[in-house]
Amino acid sequence: MFDGRDLHEAERWIDEWRCAIDERADRARALSARLARLSETARSPDGLITVTVGAGGDLTALGLGEGVRRRPAGDTAREIMATLRVARSRLLTAVTAVTHETVGADSATGRAVIETYTAGVNRTD
């Protein structure tokens, strides 16, 4: 039923499949490493607040200029949150670019990564 050509063709197909899987795994590892190193910083329009977010969108640094002492705490809090949203938005832009470069933004992996980060950007903490 099987001749030598069929067996050779099956082996070739398996080798191609294995290479494709290895290539995807390499790209996924590269994406993971690049994403882990990402961070973004944003500054409020008045320059008094600086916010940095890490790869997961979490606040990693907050800088407050002395001028924040002259305004209501509620205004400062709102400005911190607005600046945090800008930093997270920049992070999403960076994530999208890195994803596009490594696995493709339209791949299943790429879409999943970008959707995950989009949810993180839109959180309200």
Side-chain angles (χ1 to χ4, degrees):
M1 180 167 209
F2 289 104
D3 61 18
R5 281 182 299 145
D6 290 338
L7 182 58
H8 177 70
E9 182 66 23
E11 288 173 342
R12 186 185 63 75
W13 182 83
I14 290 170
D15 287 343
E16 287 175 3
W17 182 71
R18 185 179 306 136
C19 287
I21 289 173
D22 289 345
E23 182 181 326
R24 280 189 222 135
D26 289 344
R27 287 192 319 239
R29 280 189 291 276
L31 174 62
S32 179
R34 288 182 68 185
L35 291 176
R37 292 189 301 266
L38 288 179
S39 70
E40 287 293 331
T41 299
R43 188 164 237 190
S44 63
D46 61 10
L48 294 175
I49 297 167
T50 305
V51 169
T52 301
V53 294
D58 296 323
L59 181 67
T60 59
L62 173 63
L64 301 175
E66 289 299 319
V68 299
R69 294 176 188 245
R70 292 186 290 276
R71 64 181 181 194
D75 291 350
T76 300
R78 281 187 291 283
E79 196 62 37
I80 290 170
M81 295 307 293
T83 307
L84 178 61
R85 285 189 294 277
V86 171
R88 285 179 174 163
S89 178
R90 289 179 182 170
L91 179 67
L92 177 58
T93 299
V95 165
T96 301
V98 167
T99 301
H100 178 73
E101 293 166 8
T102 53
V103 298
D106 293 332
S107 69
T109 300
R111 285 191 306 272
V113 167
I114 292 168
E115 286 173 15
T116 299
Y117 275 85
T118 299
V121 166
N122 293 326
R123 67 185 196 228
T124 58
D125 66 333

